Amino acid sequence: MGVEPQGNGFSVDGAEEGFISDSEAFASVINVLDGVRMAPSLVAQVDKEQYYYLVSVVNPGRKIGPVDEALTVTALKALTRAVFKIDIMYHGALLNNIFLTSIWDYDLETRNAFLELITTMATLPDKFLENCLHVLLCNFRPPNWLKAPFCHSKRWLMRKKEVHSELHLALHCITTLVPLAPVRLKCLIEKLMSRVTEDKYIMVTYVEGLLGLEKNEIGKFLGSTVMAKVVDLLTDLDVNIPWEDILQEEQNKSVFVIELGDSNQDDEHSSIKQNGVLKCNVFADKLDGLMVVVCEHLKSCADTGCLLEGFDRLSEIFRRAVLKLHKSKFTQFLIFYACSLDPDTCGLKFAILLTDIFVSKDEDPDSRMKAVAYLASYLSRAKFISSSLVTSILQRLVDWCFEYCQLQESREKMISPQADRIFYSGCQAVMYILCFRLRSISDVPHLKQLLFHLPLDSILCHPTLDPLKVCLPLIVQEFLRQASAARLFKKPMPYFYDDSFESEFSKAFGGIERLDMFFPFDPYLLKESDRFMRPNFEFWDNVRTTYSNFDGDEVDDELEDLDVPNFPDDAGGYEVHNDIDFDNEDDIELPMSKMSITPKPSFLHPIATNFSQPSLMPARIRPSQSPPSPRQGILSRREWRG
C-alpha cells in the first residue's frame, strides 16, 4: 500500500510523483523517530515539525475522511515495523495518542493496522505490555457519545460484534506470545471494571466484551476472574435497589393490590409490562440490561457444550459473593437460569451444594440458614427440578431435623427460637417446599410412599421444639391444610389459626436479617431479562395443591392479584381441631392464593424498625381500584406505608 504525502508531512525522500510507498513511509518514520531522540533543546525545528505531524496523524480525537484514513493506515503500519525505535522518554506524545485511541470510528483496514501495532508493541520486553492490554480492554467500551437510539441500530450492533471479535483476537495473540500477559490482564480486568454510575449502554457493552473472553482460549488463563467481577458489579447494583424506592411513587396511597407471582404476562394491569415496577430506578435498569447479557452468555455456553465448566465457576462465585449477601434480590437468578439450562447436572449440583452447606457443622449458622432458604425457594420455584430430586432432598432435610430432635429429648421444655434457629429454618424449608410440591410428589406412587414414611409428625409435634409455633404462621397453615387433604399424617395434627403474617417466635429465630422471611427466588421483577426466568419459574397460581382439582373454579377473582395467603377475620389461636373436615372447602376458608413472602425492607435492627407492621416483598404493585373486600383481610390490615 502507498499514500500521497500531504503538505509538510513526513520526510519522504525518494517519493515519485507525489506517491510514497510503504517502504519509504517506514524509512520516513524511522527518521522522524530518530530525529527527536535527544534533549529537546538539541532537536532541529524541521525534525520537531515532522514528529508532531506524525503525532497528529495518530490522533484519537480527530475526524478523518478516506484520504486521512489511508494516511493513518500507512503511519500505523510504518510504526509497527519501527516499534523498536519508540522510546518512552522521547516519544511520550505519540504513545499517549496511541494508547488513547478508540477504534470504533475506524474502518476495518485501519482497525487491523492499529491492532497489529498494539500486538507488536506488547511483545517488546519490559516496555508496553500493560499499556497495550489497557487500551484493548478500554476499547470494549463504545464511544461516550454513542447513546440510544443509535446504540440499538443494526449498523452499530454489527460494528460492536466486529470490534469485540477483533479485540478478542488481539488479546489472544498477546496472551499466546507473552507469558506474563494473562497475569497482567487479570489485574487490569479488576481495575477497569465498570462502576454502578457508568452509563447503561457503555456498561452493558463493556461487560459483553469481557464475557466474550471466557469463550476464547484466554478463558483458560483467566479462570473465574471475569465472571467474578461481573457478579460483583451485579450485586453492587442489586443492593442499591431498596424496596422503599419501589414503593416511592405509591407511598401516599392507602391500599394496594399486591401482585406476587402473577404468571399472566399479558395482563393489561401488569405493572411490569405497562409501567415497570422498577422502571424509575436507574440501578434496576442497568441491572436488567446486564442480566440479559449474562444470561445470553450462559445460553451460548450451553449451546457450545461448555456450560458445566462455567457453572462450576459460577457456583464458587455464588458461595463467596451471593449466598451471604442477604439483600440481593435478582443476582441469584443467574444460577437459577444456569441450572435451567442443564437440570440433570447443574440443577442437581446446585441443590446438593445448598443441602451440604445446611447440614455441615463447619459452616456458620447464618450461612446454613441462608443456604436452606435458597434451597427451599429453589426447589419450590424451579419447574425443571424433578419430583424425584425434590423428594431426595426432602429426605435429607427431614433426617437432619429428626436427628436434631433426638438430641433434644432430655432438654428442658422451653421454646428457644434463637438457640435452635438452624433447626427451625430447616423445618420451615420442608413445609415451604411441600406447599409447592406435595401434590406432584403424591402423584408418583413410590415417591408418595417414601414421603409418607418420613417422620414429619415426630418433628413438627416435638414437645420441646414445637416448630409449628415458631415458623411463619402462613406457611404452617398452608402446609397443614395440604398435608391434611393428602392425609400425610397418621394422627390428628394441631391446626394453627392465626391471621398474623409473622409471629414473635418467627421474628426471634429469623434474627436481625429476618431470615425467617428470606425466600430469594420470589417472583422476578426485571422487565427485559424476565424472558429468561419466566418459562422456568413456578408461580403459585399454577401450583397443583392437594385440596384442589386445579380446575380454576376455586380461585376467586378478587384474589387473582395476590401471592400471599388470605385468612378469615375471626382467626383465633392454637388448638387441636379433630372435628374439621379438611376435605370440605367450606370448613376451611384459608385459601393461599399465591405464596411469596420475602420481606420488603425489614433488614434493619429491631430498634430502628417497626416490626409491629408486618412487611411483604412486593413483586408487582398497583393502586387498588376499589376499597378492599372482606376477603382481602390481610391487605386491609397491612396497608403499605399508608
Side-chain angles (χ1 to χ4, degrees), residues 78 80 107 129 193 271 316 333 346 355 359-360 399 501 575 591 637:
T80 301
D107 64 13
L129 175 60
M193 195 62 198
S271 55
E316 294 176 8
F333 275 88
C346 298
T355 309
V359 301
S360 174
D399 287 347
F501 176 74
E575 54 183 309
R637 286 185 288 273

Side-chain angles (χ1 to χ4, degrees), residues 276-290:
V277 171
L278 303 179
K279 183 177 180 181
C280 297
N281 190 296
V282 65
F283 297 113
D285 189 39
K286 294 176 182 179
L287 179 60
D288 196 8
L290 288 176

Side-chain angles (χ1 to χ4, degrees), residues 294-313:
V294 182
C295 287
E296 288 176 344
H297 170 72
L298 293 173
K299 181 65 167 62
S300 176
C301 289
D303 293 341
T304 55
C306 57
L307 176 65
L308 187 57
E309 183 180 356
F311 179 81
D312 290 339
R313 296 172 183 166

Side-chain angles (χ1 to χ4, degrees), residues 81-295:
R81 297 176 61 187
V83 289
F84 61 91
K85 287 287 187 179
I86 301 177
D87 191 290
I88 296 176
M89 182 177 295
Y90 302 111
H91 305 128
L94 177 63
L95 289 170
N96 187 63
N97 278 4
I98 291 174
F99 294 135
L100 289 177
T101 296
S102 172
I103 63 175
W104 287 74
D105 290 328
Y106 290 157
D107 64 13
L108 178 60
E109 188 177 11
T110 310
R111 296 200 303 270
N112 287 339
F114 176 78
L115 294 175
E116 184 182 5
L117 170 62
I118 293 297
T119 304
T120 306
M121 292 177 70
T123 61
L124 294 178
D126 303 321
K127 278 198 171 184
F128 308 116
L129 175 60
E130 189 159 342
N131 297 95
C132 292
L133 295 175
H134 187 281
V135 70
L136 292 177
L137 287 177
C138 287
N139 269 282
F140 280 129
R141 289 182 168 92
N144 289 327
W145 55 264
L146 187 58
K147 307 288 184 181
F150 304 107
C151 60
H152 300 298
S153 67
K154 291 183 179 180
R155 174 195 171 196
W156 280 107
L157 291 175
M158 183 62 68
R159 175 61 60 89
K160 177 180 68 174
K161 184 177 180 180
E162 292 172 351
V163 168
H164 282 179
S165 178
E166 292 158 5
L167 292 170
H168 292 151
L169 180 59
L171 286 167
H172 177 258
C173 290
I174 293 174
T175 53
T176 302
L177 296 172
V178 185
L180 286 177
V183 178
R184 299 285 181 86
L185 187 58
K186 280 185 179 182
C187 296
L188 284 172
I189 288 174
E190 294 178 356
K191 289 181 181 179
L192 297 176
M193 195 62 198
S194 297
R195 302 291 185 264
V196 295
T197 54
E198 192 170 40
D199 176 79
K200 175 188 175 181
Y201 179 70
I202 294 176
M203 176 190 295
V204 169
T205 305
Y206 180 71
V207 168
E208 186 177 356
L210 284 184
L211 289 172
L213 295 175
E214 284 205 335
K215 294 182 287 186
N216 196 291
E217 288 293 323
I218 308 173
K220 297 178 180 179
F221 298 105
L222 296 178
S224 61
T225 301
V226 173
M227 185 59 75
K229 296 307 296 182
V230 171
V231 171
D232 285 345
L233 176 60
L234 292 174
T235 54
D236 286 345
L237 289 165
D238 206 334
V239 298
N240 275 287
I241 310 172
W243 290 115
E244 290 88 342
D245 284 358
I246 299 174
L247 296 174
Q248 186 174 7
E249 292 185 2
E250 309 294 347
Q251 62 184 350
N252 294 323
K253 309 280 186 178
S254 60
V255 179
F256 296 86
V257 175
I258 305 178
E259 296 179 283
L260 289 165
D262 184 5
S263 62
N264 182 8
Q265 191 175 20
D266 296 325
D267 183 0
E268 64 178 354
H269 298 299
S270 172
S271 55
I272 285 185
K273 179 181 178 182
Q274 187 175 359
N275 298 317
V277 171
L278 303 179
K279 183 177 180 181
C280 297
N281 190 296
V282 65
F283 297 113
D285 189 39
K286 294 176 182 179
L287 179 60
D288 196 8
L290 288 176
M291 290 291 286
V292 170
V293 168
V294 182
C295 287

Side-chain angles (χ1 to χ4, degrees), residues 371-558:
V372 81
Y374 265 101
L375 180 64
S377 192
Y378 172 65
L379 295 182
S380 301
R381 297 294 192 173
K383 283 184 178 180
F384 48 86
I385 295 298
S386 67
S387 296
S388 177
L389 175 57
V390 173
T391 307
S392 176
I393 298 296
L394 280 172
Q395 185 173 14
R396 285 192 67 187
L397 295 179
V398 171
D399 287 347
W400 183 91
C401 292
F402 184 70
E403 291 177 9
Y404 189 93
C405 288
Q406 289 182 316
L407 295 175
Q408 312 301 318
E409 293 297 338
S410 60
R411 202 180 80 178
E412 181 183 357
K413 293 185 177 181
M414 182 179 67
I415 295 177
S416 180
Q418 183 59 221
D420 300 311
R421 61 190 184 278
I422 299 175
F423 167 76
Y424 291 123
S425 64
C427 291
Q428 181 164 291
V430 170
M431 289 188 284
Y432 186 79
I433 294 169
L434 288 174
C435 287
F436 281 82
R437 294 286 192 163
L438 181 54
R439 173 67 179 269
S440 61
I441 293 174
S442 299
D443 287 344
V444 183
H446 73 279
L447 296 181
K448 178 179 179 180
Q449 183 179 11
L450 178 62
L451 177 64
F452 278 49
H453 281 83
L454 294 178
L456 282 170
D457 50 353
S458 300
I459 297 169
L460 299 178
C461 295
H462 192 275
T464 301
L465 297 169
D466 204 355
L468 294 180
K469 283 186 178 180
V470 178
C471 297
L472 281 176
L474 66 92
I475 291 181
V476 172
Q477 291 195 52
E478 175 64 17
F479 165 73
L480 289 177
R481 185 186 184 199
Q482 292 208 38
S484 299
R487 295 179 173 82
L488 179 60
F489 302 117
K490 299 177 182 178
K491 60 182 181 180
M493 294 291 291
Y495 208 86
F496 188 32
Y497 281 106
D498 188 355
D499 66 349
S500 61
F501 176 74
E502 57 193 351
S503 68
E504 292 301 322
F505 283 142
S506 72
K507 288 190 287 185
F509 99 76
I512 295 176
E513 290 186 321
R514 297 311 310 275
L515 296 181
D516 58 316
M517 297 193 293
F518 180 50
F519 296 93
F521 293 119
D522 267 353
Y524 192 75
L525 307 185
L526 301 179
K527 184 177 180 180
E528 290 183 60
S529 49
D530 178 68
R531 68 180 186 270
F532 297 99
M533 314 306 168
R534 180 171 291 270
N536 308 299
F537 191 85
E538 187 69 79
F539 291 92
W540 176 253
D541 57 358
N542 291 331
V543 172
R544 298 170 62 240
T545 61
T546 59
Y547 53 76
S548 170
N549 292 324
F550 202 67
D551 57 5
D553 295 333
E554 296 184 47
V555 181
D556 195 297
D557 292 337
E558 295 179 357

